[in-house]
Amino acid sequence: MRWSAGWYGGTGHDRLPAGGRAVPGLESAWTCGWPAARVRAVGQGPAALAVIGECGADDHQLQDALPVVRAKGWRALTRWPGTYLTIARSGEALTVIGDLSGQHPVYYRTDADGTWWSTAASALAALDGAPIDVSALAAHLAFGQPDVLATRGLFRDVKRVPGGHLLLIGLDGAMVERYEPVAYPSVELRQQAPVVRAALAEAVAMRIDDRPVSTDLAGLDSTTLACLAARRGPVAAVTFADERLRDDDLAFAVRTAATVPNLGHHTVPGATSTVYYAGLDDLGHLPVTDAPNAYVVTASVKRAVLGTVAELASAPGVHFTGAAGDAVLSAPSSYLADLLREGQWRLSWQHALGHARLRHSSPFAVLARARPASRTGLVGAWRQTAAELRRPARDWLPQARRPVAWTPLLASADWMHPDVRTRLADTLDQAAGELIEAPARLADWSGRQDLARVGTNTAGWRTLALTDHGIDLAAPFLDNEVIRACLAVPADQRGAPGRYKPLLDAAFAGSGELPDFILARTTKGGFNALSYAGLRDHALRLKELLGPSSRLAALGLVTDGPVAAALTRAAAGQPTAQGALHLVVAAEVWLRQLAAAATTWWEEVSGRVVAA
């Protein structure tokens, strides 16, 4: 695992990250596993700046940013292309800034001597064996929204920096400050389209060097990246084509490769083993991640693609994926709640008509789902959810048939022990009382949470790619500048039902960078067939994982009856809570890996190392 860590304190420390390399020019900051080319630093007098990861700024730009560091203009240090961690020192102030999508998360813990920070919560927990925070893990399973509990992390006494915030450490201690606005000023889709195109093109270009380049070639998002990459040289484009999927990804991929120069197309056929939940009999074959990660569910599919990429390349290269394209280029219909709240009745009705046609429903039903969320804000919604947690568990109902919610209560919440539900309700009430700067629009809140969730899951996939093949995974739609460019367009324009991904169409129509037939596409592939096949083929292993002897059961986070019933329905091919099952399986695997892991995070040093 690649991670970074640092210490700030006047009396020093007695340990170092195992195998860590000091960051030039910054006292008591280290990287682990990062190649030297991905760690760059500049400094002058009391000002220092380091970027770790994929950062598009050259050395001159970093040097020119030192006056910005002295002026403490922190947000400006996050505006370069790429996805990276920023460490800046201005006099006695040290600032650590992650990215907007959580691929470079920041955690910290303080004591009387000072503050440790790290991009790995597990490393900070290992300082003294801090246990799991059961309520925080319950929130992760029940809500799936990382920022609900703000600074509360998955380990006791290890705090997290929420999305859009930074960690500021000084002589008075550590504090968390917001650097990103709660919502972006709205820009009309047509006006913003060129900005989106430029941000995406730059995000792709800055990652292409002398390494082999490969891309997924499936839906609109990955196809866009493949075409942009092919404008700069040869690209090995791969399509996972399993007959069980019954989509048209392969047909479009073949046509795209025949049209776009430099795209060499390769098909990855499905197999009996390429289904969800495969490989869970031996958890030692799965790389350990810092948090529960959905990649453990889809690992066999990811490995099939990455294995093909590795066979095609002469050396480990960079592989582009369209992860998060859905989150930034479109928007779920829950934005209707915002239109209703703002009294945009005519627009609400027009959009409801469109969404109703797509769902073979009625506009009245569509608006009825959105109306409850339009009548409350985030704080009120959390208090309502807390009250619901104190009531008996609900019968399962597909999420699409439940009312739109600011923070939907997932089926996994109904699998928890009543005592855990009550404690989670108390925790949520506390979070509601402490919330400041609540977003006014549901779409702004849910969009950021979706990105954070995708970012975390992509980090797990990246770990798999590096561990198995040394391949760097690139997800440009998760870059800060791409996120900012896309989310400046209101959700009702990105998610308008008349066209599929109208922002992408507006950004690239007539540019010559994407074939017209790609922009005209209205279909999207899905992996439900492989999910249900995996649930059927591996039902016994899943029942063992989540049964009475599971780690989650010991914590009261699952109870045997409801989970067994959900798995039985799934094994029979009946509709079930797939998303909730993904969450609890990932959490169970993570807990078992933590218990068995032989990871050495720290090494003791003789005497105390004094830090400035």
Side-chain angles (χ1 to χ4, degrees), residues 270-304:
T272 304
S273 60
T274 51
V275 294
Y276 285 19
Y277 303 105
L280 297 183
D281 292 323
D282 185 0
L283 302 185
H285 286 122
L286 293 171
V288 178
T289 53
D290 190 49
N293 198 282
Y295 93 92
V296 303
V297 172
T298 61
S300 66
V301 178
K302 305 298 187 191
R303 278 181 158 145

XYZ file of all heavy atoms in Angstrom, residues 270-304:
253
model
N -15.431 -13.489 -20.607
C -15.833 -13.919 -19.288
C -15.570 -15.404 -19.100
O -15.314 -16.137 -20.058
N -15.618 -15.847 -17.864
C -15.410 -17.257 -17.545
C -16.260 -17.599 -16.335
O -16.863 -16.718 -15.703
C -13.932 -17.526 -17.260
N -16.295 -18.881 -16.001
C -17.070 -19.307 -14.835
C -16.615 -18.579 -13.577
O -17.418 -18.240 -12.700
C -16.922 -20.828 -14.637
O -17.325 -21.494 -15.834
C -17.766 -21.306 -13.471
N -15.326 -18.307 -13.498
C -14.768 -17.699 -12.281
C -14.903 -16.184 -12.241
O -14.686 -15.578 -11.183
C -13.288 -18.068 -12.159
O -12.562 -17.595 -13.289
N -15.233 -15.549 -13.384
C -15.313 -14.085 -13.392
C -16.726 -13.641 -13.029
O -17.496 -13.187 -13.875
C -14.892 -13.509 -14.756
O -15.619 -14.181 -15.785
C -13.409 -13.672 -14.974
N -17.033 -13.821 -11.769
C -18.309 -13.372 -11.213
C -18.010 -12.659 -9.902
O -16.910 -12.774 -9.344
C -19.275 -14.553 -10.963
C -19.699 -15.193 -12.269
C -18.653 -15.577 -10.021
N -18.969 -11.924 -9.403
C -18.792 -11.266 -8.108
C -18.625 -12.318 -7.006
O -19.132 -13.436 -7.106
C -20.002 -10.394 -7.791
C -20.066 -9.094 -8.572
C -19.345 -8.911 -9.740
C -20.870 -8.042 -8.130
C -19.414 -7.722 -10.449
C -20.952 -6.848 -8.838
C -20.225 -6.695 -9.997
O -20.305 -5.524 -10.693
N -17.900 -11.947 -5.968
C -17.688 -12.761 -4.769
C -16.783 -13.966 -4.998
O -16.610 -14.783 -4.104
C -19.029 -13.248 -4.181
C -19.980 -12.134 -3.857
C -21.082 -11.875 -4.674
C -19.784 -11.315 -2.749
C -21.961 -10.839 -4.393
C -20.652 -10.278 -2.462
C -21.744 -10.042 -3.283
O -22.603 -9.009 -2.997
N -16.168 -14.092 -6.158
C -15.233 -15.186 -6.374
C -13.932 -14.910 -5.613
O -13.539 -13.758 -5.426
C -14.946 -15.346 -7.863
N -13.272 -15.965 -5.164
C -11.969 -15.818 -4.523
C -12.004 -15.529 -3.039
O -10.964 -15.256 -2.434
N -13.171 -15.585 -2.412
C -13.263 -15.269 -0.983
C -12.923 -16.458 -0.091
O -12.932 -16.335 1.138
C -14.666 -14.752 -0.652
C -15.067 -13.442 -1.340
C -16.451 -13.001 -0.887
C -14.041 -12.348 -1.069
N -12.611 -17.621 -0.697
C -12.194 -18.771 0.104
C -10.801 -18.567 0.691
O -10.474 -19.141 1.727
C -12.201 -20.048 -0.755
C -13.610 -20.459 -1.148
O -14.521 -20.291 -0.325
O -13.792 -20.922 -2.284
N -9.992 -17.775 0.017
C -8.630 -17.514 0.485
C -8.398 -16.010 0.479
O -8.040 -15.431 -0.548
C -7.610 -18.225 -0.414
C -6.179 -18.075 0.097
O -5.982 -17.420 1.141
O -5.264 -18.602 -0.561
N -8.611 -15.386 1.622
C -8.492 -13.925 1.698
C -7.047 -13.463 1.577
O -6.796 -12.278 1.346
C -9.096 -13.423 3.014
C -10.565 -13.779 3.254
C -11.071 -13.116 4.530
C -11.426 -13.380 2.067
N -6.104 -14.384 1.704
C -4.702 -14.006 1.574
C -4.329 -13.575 0.171
O -3.294 -12.943 -0.029
N -5.189 -13.900 -0.811
C -4.921 -13.494 -2.189
C -5.456 -12.098 -2.495
O -5.303 -11.616 -3.621
C -5.535 -14.500 -3.175
C -4.776 -15.787 -3.243
N -5.345 -17.006 -2.967
C -3.470 -16.028 -3.527
C -4.420 -17.957 -3.095
N -3.277 -17.390 -3.435
N -6.082 -11.474 -1.513
C -6.619 -10.126 -1.711
C -5.745 -9.116 -0.978
O -5.506 -9.254 0.217
C -8.053 -10.038 -1.175
C -9.110 -10.863 -1.913
C -10.419 -10.843 -1.134
C -9.323 -10.318 -3.314
N -5.236 -8.107 -1.673
C -4.445 -7.084 -0.989
C -5.244 -6.396 0.118
O -6.455 -6.181 -0.017
C -4.100 -6.088 -2.111
C -4.263 -6.861 -3.373
C -5.352 -7.844 -3.114
N -4.581 -6.064 1.198
C -5.226 -5.387 2.322
C -5.386 -3.910 1.991
O -4.470 -3.267 1.472
C -4.391 -5.546 3.605
C -5.037 -4.795 4.765
C -4.234 -7.024 3.950
N -6.561 -3.368 2.275
C -6.808 -1.945 2.077
C -7.022 -1.277 3.430
O -7.212 -1.937 4.453
C -8.035 -1.708 1.185
O -9.150 -2.417 1.717
C -7.762 -2.198 -0.234
N -7.013 0.035 3.428
C -7.090 0.783 4.678
C -8.507 0.871 5.224
O -8.709 1.228 6.376
C -6.521 2.192 4.461
C -6.335 2.953 5.759
O -5.738 2.377 6.690
O -6.792 4.104 5.846
N -9.497 0.559 4.402
C -10.904 0.633 4.803
C -11.659 -0.438 4.022
O -11.153 -0.965 3.023
C -11.482 2.026 4.503
N -12.868 -0.795 4.456
C -13.660 -1.751 3.669
C -13.788 -1.269 2.230
O -14.041 -0.093 1.992
C -15.018 -1.743 4.382
C -14.708 -1.334 5.781
C -13.577 -0.359 5.670
N -13.588 -2.181 1.292
C -13.513 -1.753 -0.101
C -14.267 -2.702 -1.008
O -14.117 -3.920 -0.920
C -12.054 -1.667 -0.538
C -11.880 -0.831 -1.770
O -12.156 -1.288 -2.873
N -11.453 0.408 -1.603
N -15.070 -2.133 -1.902
C -15.917 -2.928 -2.781
C -15.116 -3.758 -3.777
O -15.673 -4.681 -4.382
C -16.882 -2.021 -3.540
N -13.825 -3.483 -3.944
C -13.057 -4.238 -4.937
C -13.002 -5.720 -4.581
O -12.852 -6.568 -5.464
C -11.641 -3.673 -5.058
C -10.625 -4.362 -4.181
C -9.876 -5.439 -4.667
C -10.424 -3.968 -2.867
C -8.964 -6.080 -3.867
C -9.517 -4.606 -2.060
C -8.776 -5.663 -2.558
O -7.881 -6.314 -1.763
N -13.153 -6.081 -3.295
C -13.080 -7.500 -2.933
C -14.243 -8.279 -3.550
O -14.136 -9.483 -3.786
C -13.054 -7.698 -1.402
C -11.889 -6.941 -0.781
C -14.360 -7.281 -0.746
N -15.357 -7.593 -3.807
C -16.514 -8.244 -4.415
C -16.279 -8.476 -5.903
O -16.660 -9.504 -6.459
C -17.782 -7.395 -4.183
C -18.963 -7.954 -4.971
C -18.123 -7.327 -2.696
N -15.628 -7.529 -6.557
C -15.460 -7.574 -8.025
C -14.049 -7.959 -8.447
O -13.699 -7.815 -9.616
C -15.806 -6.203 -8.622
O -14.907 -5.215 -8.080
C -17.235 -5.800 -8.286
N -13.233 -8.458 -7.529
C -11.806 -8.674 -7.801
C -11.562 -9.588 -8.993
O -10.637 -9.362 -9.785
C -11.115 -9.235 -6.555
N -12.375 -10.633 -9.170
C -12.108 -11.568 -10.272
C -12.283 -10.894 -11.626
O -11.530 -11.174 -12.572
C -13.035 -12.784 -10.163
O -14.391 -12.420 -10.365
N -13.264 -9.997 -11.747
C -13.469 -9.274 -13.002
C -12.324 -8.292 -13.232
O -11.770 -8.193 -14.339
C -14.826 -8.547 -12.986
C -15.027 -7.755 -14.276
C -15.968 -9.536 -12.782
N -11.957 -7.549 -12.179
C -10.852 -6.589 -12.306
C -9.566 -7.305 -12.699
O -8.799 -6.834 -13.547
C -10.645 -5.840 -10.993
C -11.863 -5.129 -10.444
C -12.380 -4.059 -11.363
C -13.488 -3.253 -10.701
N -14.186 -2.383 -11.660
N -9.319 -8.461 -12.078
C -8.082 -9.181 -12.355
C -8.054 -9.720 -13.787
O -6.989 -9.789 -14.411
C -7.910 -10.312 -11.350
C -7.320 -9.841 -10.028
C -7.120 -10.960 -9.048
N -6.108 -10.595 -8.056
C -6.139 -10.966 -6.787
N -7.138 -11.720 -6.342
N -5.185 -10.595 -5.950
N -9.199 -10.107 -14.313
C -9.238 -10.578 -15.700
C -8.826 -9.463 -16.648
O -8.050 -9.679 -17.595
C -10.641 -11.078 -16.033
